[in-house]
Amino acid sequence: MASFFSIRLVSLNLLLLLCFIPSICYGATFDPFTEKTKITYHDGPILTGTVNLHLIWYGKPEEIQREVIMDFLKTLITEGDKKVQPHVSRWWNVVESYQLAMKGKPTIGVESPKIEVKVAKEDTIDYAYGKVLTTQYDIPRLIKDVNHGDPNLLPLIITAKDVSMHGLCAGKCADHGIFENNKGFIVIGDPEIECPGACGWPFHEVDAGPKGLVFKPPNKNMAADAMVVALASALVNTITNPQNTGFYGGIEFDPIESATACKGIFGPGAAPGNPGKVFTDRKTGENFSAHGNNGRRFLLPAIWNPATSTCWTITSRYFST
């Protein structure tokens, strides 16, 4: 059965054709600085409870990237030291609040049920499908061979820097979608070689558009920290809209999701070419917006807050616009 990466399977040939074009799907061309949208609920499921990831490293990822990404995922489900704030878990709390929003309940001042993201299984695949992958053909094939269609695992494929992932770098740096039987997946690419000026920003000078401040990566590796940004965005979109019937703005055939609606925004005062106000380590000059575990720090993207119907950043309470 044909597969595609951005909306649920349907029998309409026109829709299939549209979804084979990366710029059509998942708001790849959406600009939150010049366009407006509102994220609303469309009566479908979101992911809740425990989300078990099947982490699939494709190619030969660098060790620093493995460490940073694994630490980020572990940080999501821990509260951290109350003396070291803001913590990543505070950012994740807003994602969890979508559970109340889907029921029409207030989300301000109310604790939402926990959504625990765990790495339940991990594999490394050494270029078995080549160094140029497509979401229409190679990714479903890879998932079937490695994941064996396990419905209890959400495949998360992370490619090495020498792998070209078709559809990424063209307006988006991560992807999520479904293939047959509504099985979901997430794909993250390494921007170091393929597109540092598109998906390495704000840790690398942007290729197109206004050129502004370039951040210093908090974990001392441009690609690893940029991949955390991409992964964080993809997780938000996957949790809140796993089958394109959950939370999104725009139209079903070109949905603007909860992280996509705020892309390019990392702190108050963000503008084209300017990621906004975040924290700076006085000794190292490294930029970050939240603390993780074991001394890790991360830059986290803005997400749509259902309580205020606006883009929200974790640093908003610490800086004025």
Side-chain angles (χ1 to χ4, degrees), residues 259-311:
T260 309
C262 307
K263 66 181 180 181
I265 300 173
F266 295 90
N274 177 6
K277 298 176 182 178
V278 300
F279 302 110
T280 301
D281 186 293
R282 294 181 180 179
K283 292 183 179 179
T284 65
E286 295 164 354
N287 301 104
F288 65 98
S289 57
H291 295 273
N293 299 337
N294 302 320
R296 288 279 187 205
R297 296 177 297 193
F298 302 100
L299 185 71
L300 299 176
I303 54 179
W304 184 269
N305 188 340
T308 60
S309 293
T310 58
C311 290

Short mmCIF file of all heavy atoms in Angstrom, two decimals, residues 259-311:
data_model
loop_
_atom_site.label_atom_id
_atom_site.label_comp_id
_atom_site.label_asym_id
_atom_site.label_seq_id
_atom_site.Cartn_x
_atom_site.Cartn_y
_atom_site.Cartn_z
N ALA A 259 3.81 22.99 16.96
CA ALA A 259 5.16 23.53 16.95
C ALA A 259 5.42 24.32 15.66
O ALA A 259 6.08 25.35 15.68
CB ALA A 259 6.19 22.42 17.10
N THR A 260 4.87 23.83 14.56
CA THR A 260 5.04 24.51 13.28
C THR A 260 4.49 25.92 13.31
O THR A 260 5.05 26.83 12.69
CB THR A 260 4.34 23.71 12.16
OG1 THR A 260 4.76 22.36 12.22
CG2 THR A 260 4.68 24.29 10.79
N ALA A 261 3.40 26.12 14.05
CA ALA A 261 2.77 27.44 14.13
C ALA A 261 3.69 28.47 14.76
O ALA A 261 3.47 29.68 14.62
CB ALA A 261 1.47 27.35 14.93
N CYS A 262 4.73 28.00 15.45
CA CYS A 262 5.62 28.91 16.18
C CYS A 262 7.08 28.75 15.74
O CYS A 262 7.99 29.16 16.48
CB CYS A 262 5.51 28.65 17.67
SG CYS A 262 3.82 28.71 18.32
N LYS A 263 7.33 28.16 14.59
CA LYS A 263 8.71 27.86 14.20
C LYS A 263 9.53 29.14 14.03
O LYS A 263 9.02 30.18 13.60
CB LYS A 263 8.74 27.03 12.92
CG LYS A 263 8.22 27.71 11.67
CD LYS A 263 8.30 26.75 10.49
CE LYS A 263 7.78 27.39 9.20
NZ LYS A 263 7.83 26.45 8.06
N GLY A 264 10.77 29.05 14.42
CA GLY A 264 11.66 30.20 14.35
C GLY A 264 11.60 31.09 15.58
O GLY A 264 12.31 32.09 15.66
N ILE A 265 10.77 30.72 16.56
CA ILE A 265 10.61 31.50 17.78
C ILE A 265 11.19 30.69 18.95
O ILE A 265 10.80 29.55 19.18
CB ILE A 265 9.13 31.81 18.05
CG1 ILE A 265 8.53 32.61 16.88
CG2 ILE A 265 8.97 32.58 19.36
CD1 ILE A 265 7.02 32.82 17.00
N PHE A 266 12.12 31.31 19.69
CA PHE A 266 12.73 30.64 20.83
C PHE A 266 12.62 31.44 22.12
O PHE A 266 12.85 30.91 23.21
CB PHE A 266 14.20 30.34 20.54
CG PHE A 266 14.41 29.36 19.42
CD1 PHE A 266 14.52 29.79 18.10
CD2 PHE A 266 14.47 28.00 19.68
CE1 PHE A 266 14.70 28.89 17.07
CE2 PHE A 266 14.65 27.09 18.65
CZ PHE A 266 14.76 27.52 17.34
N GLY A 267 12.30 32.72 22.00
CA GLY A 267 12.17 33.55 23.18
C GLY A 267 11.42 34.82 22.85
O GLY A 267 11.11 35.10 21.69
N PRO A 268 11.11 35.62 23.88
CA PRO A 268 10.42 36.90 23.66
C PRO A 268 11.20 37.79 22.70
O PRO A 268 12.43 37.79 22.69
CB PRO A 268 10.36 37.51 25.07
CG PRO A 268 10.47 36.35 25.99
CD PRO A 268 11.38 35.37 25.30
N GLY A 269 10.48 38.55 21.90
CA GLY A 269 11.11 39.47 20.98
C GLY A 269 11.61 38.85 19.70
O GLY A 269 12.33 39.49 18.92
N ALA A 270 11.23 37.61 19.44
CA ALA A 270 11.68 36.93 18.22
C ALA A 270 11.14 37.64 16.98
O ALA A 270 10.04 38.20 16.99
CB ALA A 270 11.23 35.48 18.21
N ALA A 271 11.92 37.63 15.93
CA ALA A 271 11.57 38.25 14.65
C ALA A 271 12.34 37.52 13.56
O ALA A 271 13.23 36.71 13.87
CB ALA A 271 11.92 39.74 14.66
N PRO A 272 12.03 37.73 12.30
CA PRO A 272 12.79 37.05 11.25
C PRO A 272 14.29 37.26 11.42
O PRO A 272 14.77 38.39 11.49
CB PRO A 272 12.27 37.72 9.97
CG PRO A 272 10.87 38.11 10.31
CD PRO A 272 10.92 38.55 11.74
N GLY A 273 15.03 36.17 11.53
CA GLY A 273 16.47 36.24 11.73
C GLY A 273 16.89 36.44 13.17
O GLY A 273 18.08 36.38 13.49
N ASN A 274 15.93 36.66 14.06
CA ASN A 274 16.22 36.88 15.48
C ASN A 274 15.45 35.85 16.29
O ASN A 274 14.22 35.91 16.37
CB ASN A 274 15.80 38.29 15.89
CG ASN A 274 15.99 38.55 17.38
OD1 ASN A 274 16.54 37.72 18.10
ND2 ASN A 274 15.56 39.70 17.84
N PRO A 275 16.13 34.89 16.92
CA PRO A 275 15.44 33.81 17.63
C PRO A 275 14.74 34.26 18.92
O PRO A 275 13.93 33.51 19.46
CB PRO A 275 16.55 32.81 17.94
CG PRO A 275 17.82 33.59 17.87
CD PRO A 275 17.59 34.67 16.87
N GLY A 276 15.06 35.46 19.41
CA GLY A 276 14.44 35.93 20.64
C GLY A 276 15.38 35.84 21.83
O GLY A 276 16.54 35.43 21.71
N LYS A 277 14.89 36.24 22.99
CA LYS A 277 15.71 36.33 24.19
C LYS A 277 15.74 35.01 24.94
O LYS A 277 14.71 34.46 25.32
CB LYS A 277 15.17 37.43 25.11
CG LYS A 277 15.21 38.83 24.48
CD LYS A 277 14.57 39.85 25.40
CE LYS A 277 14.57 41.23 24.75
NZ LYS A 277 13.90 42.25 25.60
N VAL A 278 16.96 34.50 25.14
CA VAL A 278 17.17 33.28 25.91
C VAL A 278 18.33 33.53 26.87
O VAL A 278 18.90 34.62 26.91
CB VAL A 278 17.46 32.07 24.99
CG1 VAL A 278 16.30 31.83 24.03
CG2 VAL A 278 18.75 32.26 24.21
N PHE A 279 18.71 32.51 27.61
CA PHE A 279 19.79 32.66 28.57
C PHE A 279 21.15 32.49 27.90
O PHE A 279 21.29 31.78 26.91
CB PHE A 279 19.65 31.61 29.68
CG PHE A 279 18.35 31.67 30.42
CD1 PHE A 279 17.40 30.67 30.25
CD2 PHE A 279 18.06 32.74 31.26
CE1 PHE A 279 16.20 30.72 30.93
CE2 PHE A 279 16.85 32.80 31.93
CZ PHE A 279 15.91 31.79 31.77
N THR A 280 22.14 33.19 28.48
CA THR A 280 23.52 33.08 28.00
C THR A 280 24.42 32.77 29.18
O THR A 280 24.38 33.46 30.21
CB THR A 280 24.00 34.38 27.34
OG1 THR A 280 23.14 34.69 26.24
CG2 THR A 280 25.43 34.24 26.84
N ASP A 281 25.21 31.72 29.07
CA ASP A 281 26.18 31.39 30.11
C ASP A 281 27.28 32.46 30.11
O ASP A 281 27.91 32.70 29.08
CB ASP A 281 26.79 30.01 29.83
CG ASP A 281 27.70 29.54 30.96
OD1 ASP A 281 28.76 30.16 31.17
OD2 ASP A 281 27.35 28.55 31.62
N ARG A 282 27.47 33.08 31.24
CA ARG A 282 28.42 34.20 31.30
C ARG A 282 29.86 33.76 31.05
O ARG A 282 30.67 34.57 30.57
CB ARG A 282 28.32 34.87 32.68
CG ARG A 282 26.98 35.56 32.93
CD ARG A 282 26.96 36.22 34.29
NE ARG A 282 25.69 36.90 34.54
CZ ARG A 282 25.40 37.54 35.66
NH1 ARG A 282 26.29 37.58 36.66
NH2 ARG A 282 24.22 38.12 35.80
N LYS A 283 30.18 32.52 31.37
CA LYS A 283 31.55 32.06 31.19
C LYS A 283 31.82 31.56 29.77
O LYS A 283 32.86 31.85 29.17
CB LYS A 283 31.86 30.96 32.19
CG LYS A 283 31.90 31.44 33.64
CD LYS A 283 32.29 30.29 34.58
CE LYS A 283 32.35 30.76 36.03
NZ LYS A 283 32.71 29.65 36.97
N THR A 284 30.89 30.79 29.23
CA THR A 284 31.12 30.14 27.94
C THR A 284 30.46 30.85 26.76
O THR A 284 30.83 30.63 25.61
CB THR A 284 30.62 28.69 27.97
OG1 THR A 284 29.19 28.71 28.13
CG2 THR A 284 31.25 27.93 29.12
N GLY A 285 29.45 31.68 27.06
CA GLY A 285 28.70 32.33 25.98
C GLY A 285 27.67 31.44 25.33
O GLY A 285 27.01 31.83 24.36
N GLU A 286 27.48 30.22 25.88
CA GLU A 286 26.51 29.29 25.29
C GLU A 286 25.08 29.73 25.58
O GLU A 286 24.79 30.24 26.67
CB GLU A 286 26.77 27.88 25.86
CG GLU A 286 28.12 27.32 25.45
CD GLU A 286 28.56 26.14 26.29
OE1 GLU A 286 27.86 25.82 27.28
OE2 GLU A 286 29.61 25.55 25.97
N ASN A 287 24.22 29.53 24.61
CA ASN A 287 22.83 29.97 24.72
C ASN A 287 21.89 28.79 24.94
O ASN A 287 22.03 27.75 24.30
CB ASN A 287 22.42 30.71 23.45
CG ASN A 287 23.29 31.92 23.18
OD1 ASN A 287 24.16 31.89 22.31
ND2 ASN A 287 23.09 32.99 23.93
N PHE A 288 20.92 28.98 25.82
CA PHE A 288 19.98 27.92 26.13
C PHE A 288 18.70 28.52 26.69
O PHE A 288 18.66 29.70 27.06
CB PHE A 288 20.59 26.94 27.15
CG PHE A 288 20.86 27.56 28.50
CD1 PHE A 288 19.97 27.39 29.55
CD2 PHE A 288 22.01 28.32 28.72
CE1 PHE A 288 20.20 27.95 30.79
CE2 PHE A 288 22.25 28.90 29.96
CZ PHE A 288 21.35 28.72 31.00
N SER A 289 17.67 27.71 26.77
CA SER A 289 16.40 28.20 27.33
C SER A 289 15.90 27.34 28.48
O SER A 289 14.98 27.75 29.19
CB SER A 289 15.33 28.27 26.24
OG SER A 289 15.14 27.02 25.61
N ALA A 290 16.47 26.15 28.68
CA ALA A 290 16.00 25.29 29.77
C ALA A 290 17.11 24.36 30.21
O ALA A 290 18.01 23.99 29.45
CB ALA A 290 14.79 24.48 29.32
N HIS A 291 17.03 23.98 31.48
CA HIS A 291 17.98 23.04 32.06
C HIS A 291 17.46 21.62 31.92
O HIS A 291 16.26 21.36 32.02
CB HIS A 291 18.20 23.35 33.54
CG HIS A 291 18.84 24.67 33.80
ND1 HIS A 291 20.21 24.84 33.83
CD2 HIS A 291 18.30 25.91 34.03
CE1 HIS A 291 20.49 26.11 34.06
NE2 HIS A 291 19.36 26.77 34.18
N GLY A 292 18.40 20.70 31.72
CA GLY A 292 18.08 19.29 31.71
C GLY A 292 18.71 18.60 32.89
O GLY A 292 19.01 19.24 33.91
N ASN A 293 18.94 17.32 32.77
CA ASN A 293 19.57 16.56 33.84
C ASN A 293 21.08 16.50 33.63
O ASN A 293 21.59 16.71 32.53
CB ASN A 293 19.00 15.14 33.89
CG ASN A 293 17.51 15.15 34.16
OD1 ASN A 293 16.97 16.11 34.72
ND2 ASN A 293 16.83 14.08 33.78
N ASN A 294 21.79 16.20 34.71
CA ASN A 294 23.24 16.00 34.64
C ASN A 294 23.98 17.19 34.04
O ASN A 294 24.97 17.03 33.34
CB ASN A 294 23.56 14.73 33.83
CG ASN A 294 22.91 13.50 34.40
OD1 ASN A 294 22.85 13.32 35.62
ND2 ASN A 294 22.37 12.65 33.53
N GLY A 295 23.47 18.40 34.33
CA GLY A 295 24.14 19.60 33.87
C GLY A 295 23.87 19.97 32.43
O GLY A 295 24.39 20.99 31.94
N ARG A 296 23.08 19.20 31.72
CA ARG A 296 22.74 19.51 30.33
C ARG A 296 21.84 20.74 30.27
O ARG A 296 21.04 21.01 31.16
CB ARG A 296 22.00 18.35 29.68
CG ARG A 296 22.85 17.15 29.39
CD ARG A 296 23.65 17.29 28.13
NE ARG A 296 24.33 16.05 27.80
CZ ARG A 296 25.43 15.98 27.08
NH1 ARG A 296 25.99 17.09 26.62
NH2 ARG A 296 25.98 14.81 26.81
N ARG A 297 21.97 21.47 29.19
CA ARG A 297 21.08 22.59 28.91
C ARG A 297 20.67 22.52 27.45
O ARG A 297 21.44 22.07 26.60
CB ARG A 297 21.77 23.93 29.23
CG ARG A 297 22.11 24.07 30.71
CD ARG A 297 22.84 25.33 31.04
NE ARG A 297 24.14 25.42 30.40
CZ ARG A 297 25.08 26.30 30.73
NH1 ARG A 297 24.85 27.17 31.71
NH2 ARG A 297 26.23 26.33 30.11
N PHE A 298 19.45 22.98 27.17
CA PHE A 298 18.90 22.83 25.82
C PHE A 298 18.22 24.12 25.37
O PHE A 298 17.71 24.89 26.19
CB PHE A 298 17.88 21.69 25.79
CG PHE A 298 18.42 20.36 26.21
CD1 PHE A 298 18.19 19.88 27.50
CD2 PHE A 298 19.17 19.58 25.35
CE1 PHE A 298 18.68 18.65 27.91
CE2 PHE A 298 19.66 18.34 25.74
CZ PHE A 298 19.43 17.88 27.03
N LEU A 299 18.20 24.31 24.07
CA LEU A 299 17.39 25.36 23.47
C LEU A 299 16.10 24.71 22.99
O LEU A 299 16.13 23.75 22.22
CB LEU A 299 18.11 26.01 22.29
CG LEU A 299 17.38 27.20 21.67
CD1 LEU A 299 17.41 28.41 22.60
CD2 LEU A 299 17.98 27.56 20.31
N LEU A 300 14.96 25.23 23.46
CA LEU A 300 13.68 24.64 23.12
C LEU A 300 12.84 25.59 22.28
O LEU A 300 12.82 26.80 22.54
CB LEU A 300 12.91 24.29 24.40
CG LEU A 300 13.58 23.27 25.32
CD1 LEU A 300 12.77 23.09 26.59
CD2 LEU A 300 13.78 21.94 24.61
N PRO A 301 12.14 25.07 21.29
CA PRO A 301 11.33 25.92 20.42
C PRO A 301 10.04 26.36 21.10
O PRO A 301 9.56 25.72 22.04
CB PRO A 301 11.03 25.01 19.23
CG PRO A 301 11.00 23.63 19.84
CD PRO A 301 12.08 23.65 20.90
N ALA A 302 9.47 27.45 20.63
CA ALA A 302 8.15 27.87 21.09
C ALA A 302 7.12 26.88 20.63
O ALA A 302 7.28 26.21 19.60
CB ALA A 302 7.83 29.26 20.54
N ILE A 303 6.04 26.75 21.40
CA ILE A 303 4.92 25.90 21.02
C ILE A 303 3.61 26.64 21.26
O ILE A 303 3.56 27.59 22.06
CB ILE A 303 4.91 24.56 21.78
CG1 ILE A 303 4.96 24.79 23.30
CG2 ILE A 303 6.06 23.69 21.34
CD1 ILE A 303 4.93 23.51 24.10
N TRP A 304 2.59 26.22 20.59
CA TRP A 304 1.27 26.83 20.74
C TRP A 304 0.70 26.42 22.09
O TRP A 304 0.58 25.24 22.41
CB TRP A 304 0.36 26.37 19.62
CG TRP A 304 -1.00 27.03 19.64
CD1 TRP A 304 -2.12 26.58 20.28
CD2 TRP A 304 -1.36 28.25 19.00
NE1 TRP A 304 -3.16 27.45 20.07
CE2 TRP A 304 -2.72 28.49 19.29
CE3 TRP A 304 -0.67 29.17 18.22
CZ2 TRP A 304 -3.41 29.60 18.81
CZ3 TRP A 304 -1.35 30.28 17.75
CH2 TRP A 304 -2.70 30.48 18.04
N ASN A 305 0.35 27.42 22.89
CA ASN A 305 -0.21 27.17 24.21
C ASN A 305 -1.74 27.21 24.10
O ASN A 305 -2.33 28.26 23.83
CB ASN A 305 0.26 28.24 25.20
CG ASN A 305 -0.13 27.92 26.63
OD1 ASN A 305 -1.05 27.13 26.89
ND2 ASN A 305 0.56 28.54 27.59
N PRO A 306 -2.42 26.08 24.32
CA PRO A 306 -3.87 26.06 24.17
C PRO A 306 -4.59 26.93 25.20
O PRO A 306 -5.75 27.29 25.00
CB PRO A 306 -4.23 24.58 24.33
CG PRO A 306 -3.12 24.01 25.15
CD PRO A 306 -1.89 24.76 24.72
N ALA A 307 -3.91 27.26 26.29
CA ALA A 307 -4.55 28.08 27.33
C ALA A 307 -4.68 29.53 26.91
O ALA A 307 -5.63 30.22 27.29
CB ALA A 307 -3.75 27.99 28.63
N THR A 308 -3.72 30.00 26.10
CA THR A 308 -3.72 31.41 25.69
C THR A 308 -3.92 31.60 24.20
O THR A 308 -4.08 32.74 23.74
CB THR A 308 -2.38 32.07 26.09
OG1 THR A 308 -1.30 31.38 25.42
CG2 THR A 308 -2.16 31.98 27.59
N SER A 309 -3.90 30.50 23.45
CA SER A 309 -4.01 30.56 21.98
C SER A 309 -2.94 31.47 21.38
O SER A 309 -3.19 32.25 20.46
CB SER A 309 -5.41 31.02 21.56
OG SER A 309 -6.38 30.06 21.91
N THR A 310 -1.72 31.34 21.91
CA THR A 310 -0.58 32.09 21.40
C THR A 310 0.66 31.19 21.45
O THR A 310 0.67 30.16 22.12
CB THR A 310 -0.30 33.35 22.25
OG1 THR A 310 -0.06 32.94 23.61
CG2 THR A 310 -1.47 34.33 22.20
N CYS A 311 1.70 31.63 20.75
CA CYS A 311 2.97 30.93 20.84
C CYS A 311 3.61 31.23 22.20
O CYS A 311 3.66 32.38 22.64
CB CYS A 311 3.90 31.36 19.71
SG CYS A 311 3.39 30.78 18.08
#
